[in-house]
Amino acid sequence: MVTPTTVRTVDLRSDTVTKPTESMRSAMANAEVDDDVLGNDPTALRLEKEVAEIAGKEAAMFVPSGTMGNLISVLVHCDERGSEVILGDDSHIHIYENGGVSSLGGVHPRTVKNEEDGKMEIGAIEAAVRSPKGDLHHPVTKLICLETTQANCGVGELAKKHGLKLHIDGARIFNASVALGVPVKRIVQAADSVSICLSKGIGAPVGSVIVGSKRFITKARWLRKTLGGGMRQIGVLCAAALVALHENVAKLEDDHKKARILAEGLNRIERLRVNVAAVETNIIYVDIPEDPKFGAEEACKSLEDVGVLVIPQATFRIRIVLHHQISDVDVEYVLSCFEKTF
């Protein structure tokens, strides 16, 4: 095992920290470009066509971030101010996207409890639906938003039953596809729209793509321009994303294996606890001793001193995210640093 005598840097804060590979840099430098706001960038068009086909949808559109992709999708579906969206109480859209659906779109969030594995009970979702024929004191439900964890669990049928739209925040949809052994298009087949992040699991430097019907994407393009997302020669960015699609999806299984190895090793450290069975993709949650003088914040600072970058998830919980630029030697080093710290 590698010992933490020589400091190296192993960045496990997120899979968004990856650096562009040499093949990405080369593709960016040689990208064929034009003005995407005018609809003419050939590399952007190629990326959008490929992602639409992967997701089994009619059309697609590149956006600068997953946050913008989710916001645009919600605003397309909830096109009347005061409309209501049902989403998880711990979902990314609700917690980590600055309340954009409310502040910019006038959309009311109606939360349903996320279970430990991220899912929402279908019965709870249905109970949260508010009909235009219901109490006039309440907003009217227009949309259900799910994360990838529950993208194919009967919610599509529920949405249709109540005349609602379904949006999936597919931030790590490729990780889910690889872990389940199921094509992306099958996971999202019931969705009216999907936001697919390119800068997380598969390691593109920038961007997401939203997919849906041609009518949905036509409306989405207007909103992207309104939000300042029209970026002209975006083929430079889309070229790197195409490399990520072609080269890095195949690496995800290895990322997941390293995550399991690391999770098992951390769980063997006496003072740490990891739910190894829950580590199905590239994310690990580590529970540390409930010492008020040495919580997750202090532990992360101690680990940073020896070059291991992780982030606190809660007072006594640390989050670790693996990616394709983490090696077997890095995993050994991280284990040795945790052993020294705890």
Side-chain angles (χ1 to χ4, degrees):
M1 178 173 287
V2 178
T3 56
T5 53
T6 303
V7 174
R8 59 194 287 140
T9 300
V10 184
D11 196 340
L12 301 170
R13 291 172 297 168
S14 178
D15 44 5
T16 59
V17 303
T18 55
K19 307 298 189 291
T21 62
E22 286 304 314
S23 55
M24 287 182 191
R25 293 176 189 272
S26 176
M28 293 170 78
N30 295 292
E32 186 182 0
V33 299
D34 205 326
D35 190 329
D36 183 63
V37 175
L38 300 179
N40 297 328
D41 191 296
T43 307
L45 292 171
R46 185 153 65 94
L47 173 66
E48 290 165 350
K49 183 174 184 292
E50 286 198 24
V51 177
E53 288 173 352
I54 288 169
K57 303 301 180 186
E58 288 181 346
M61 182 183 73
F62 182 87
V63 289
S65 69
T67 295
M68 183 181 283
N70 285 329
L71 176 60
I72 288 171
S73 298
V74 172
L75 298 191
V76 170
H77 296 308
C78 297
D79 54 358
E80 295 179 1
R81 293 183 68 83
S83 300
E84 187 167 76
V85 56
I86 295 172
L87 71 179
D89 65 350
D90 196 38
S91 65
H92 201 278
I93 294 175
H94 184 57
I95 301 294
Y96 298 109
E97 297 185 7
N98 299 105
V101 298
S102 298
S103 61
L104 299 178
V107 178
H108 183 262
R110 175 123 155 117
T111 59
V112 170
K113 179 179 172 55
N114 285 115
E115 303 300 329
E116 185 70 22
D117 62 359
K119 292 181 180 177
M120 298 183 286
E121 291 292 335
I122 288 189
I125 296 173
E126 185 159 31
V129 174
R130 297 201 271 207
S131 164
K133 297 178 181 179
D135 192 326
L136 58 78
H137 293 88
H138 298 158
V140 176
T141 307
K142 290 284 190 71
L143 175 67
I144 300 171
C145 286
L146 301 178
E147 295 185 345
T148 309
T149 46
Q150 197 176 5
N152 194 24
C153 298
V155 182
E157 290 81 357
L158 175 64
K160 287 180 181 177
K161 174 183 173 183
H162 291 278
L164 308 177
K165 297 295 184 181
L166 173 62
H167 172 70
I168 293 175
D169 175 6
R172 293 184 174 87
I173 193 75
F174 295 108
N175 293 86
S177 173
V178 168
L180 295 169
V182 173
V184 170
K185 65 176 62 179
R186 182 173 159 197
I187 295 174
V188 303
Q189 62 186 353
D192 296 286
S193 60
V194 188
S195 176
I196 297 175
C197 185
L198 305 170
S199 62
K200 288 186 175 174
I202 63 173
V206 178
S208 290
V209 172
I210 55 176
V211 299
S213 67
K214 290 179 181 178
R215 185 167 179 267
F216 168 84
I217 293 299
T218 297
K219 291 184 176 181
R221 288 193 184 280
W222 284 88
L223 280 167
R224 184 183 67 174
K225 183 61 177 170
T226 302
L227 295 169
M231 297 189 296
R232 306 302 179 182
Q233 286 74 31
I234 62 170
V236 174
L237 300 175
C238 295
L242 282 164
V243 173
L245 272 179
H246 299 160
E247 295 185 359
N248 290 349
V249 173
K251 298 176 183 177
L252 294 176
E253 186 173 2
D254 192 49
D255 295 344
H256 299 172
K257 287 178 181 176
K258 288 189 179 79
R260 285 191 291 272
I261 290 167
L262 180 55
E264 289 165 357
L266 290 168
N267 198 46
R268 285 194 291 268
I269 298 173
E270 186 176 349
R271 287 167 54 80
L272 302 180
R273 291 292 177 268
V274 177
N275 182 355
V276 176
V279 180
E280 297 178 301
T281 56
N282 63 327
I283 301 177
I284 305 168
Y285 295 105
V286 185
D287 292 318
I288 66 174
E290 295 188 7
D291 181 348
K293 296 181 180 179
F294 195 75
E297 292 275 0
E298 292 77 14
C300 289
K301 289 176 183 175
S302 293
L303 289 162
E304 185 177 357
D305 289 341
V306 290
V308 176
L309 306 181
V310 290
I311 60 174
Q313 179 72 15
T315 307
F316 300 107
R317 173 172 278 196
I318 293 170
R319 189 186 82 157
I320 293 172
V321 186
L322 279 81
H323 50 79
H324 74 96
Q325 291 175 340
I326 298 299
S327 67
D328 292 330
V329 173
D330 290 332
V331 170
E332 292 180 4
Y333 183 77
V334 170
L335 279 173
S336 63
C337 290
F338 267 87
E339 287 174 347
K340 181 180 180 181
T341 302
F342 293 99

